[in-house]
Amino acid sequence: DLDECAASPCKDHQYCLNTDGSFSCKACDASCVGCTGEGSQQCKTCASGYVKEDEKCTDIDECNLPEKVCTEENQDCVNTPGSYKCVCSEGFEDKDGTCVQT
């Protein structure tokens, strides 16, 4: 078997998997910018919104940072993989970018 992966035939956001007589390109974990294999522990560097912890890239919970990320009144922070979103608190709705009581 020839190791086609030695020639790095895959794109930046993929890793190469050598198979018998061939190869395939697999997508890197969403927490990675470039990778050497499957999973968040194989990242070359961590994607935005992720931090290297215990040798793997883990999601940063922006909602638990000391500095508030959702600064509008009556707004709650919801953590998402690699990011966060600001939503109106219960009993409030978004009207032109402001949370008003429903």
Side-chain angles (χ1 to χ4, degrees), residues 29 31-32 36-43 52 54-57:
D29 191 87
S31 65
C32 299
T36 56
E38 185 180 9
S40 62
Q41 69 280 2
Q42 300 292 326
C43 298
K52 197 157 205 119
D54 301 325
E55 296 306 307
K56 62 182 184 217
C57 293

Side-chain angles (χ1 to χ4, degrees), residues 16-95:
C16 187
L17 191 63
N18 190 45
T19 58
D20 219 14
S22 188
F23 72 96
S24 61
C25 294
K26 303 279 187 183
C28 291
D29 191 87
S31 65
C32 299
V33 174
C35 65
T36 56
E38 185 180 9
S40 62
Q41 69 280 2
Q42 300 292 326
C43 298
K44 288 181 182 172
T45 56
C46 296
S48 175
Y50 293 86
V51 66
K52 197 157 205 119
E53 256 177 28
D54 301 325
E55 296 306 307
K56 62 182 184 217
C57 293
T58 53
D59 177 48
I60 296 168
D61 185 351
E62 292 86 356
C63 299
N64 281 332
L65 294 175
E67 197 169 308
K68 283 185 77 161
V69 288
C70 297
T71 55
E72 298 296 317
E73 242 183 296
N74 307 310
Q75 213 175 44
D76 295 328
C77 182
V78 178
N79 190 49
T80 61
S83 191
Y84 67 93
K85 57 184 176 184
C86 299
V87 296
C88 292
S89 305
E90 203 171 313
F92 293 86
E93 65 181 359
D94 191 326
K95 277 255 167 58

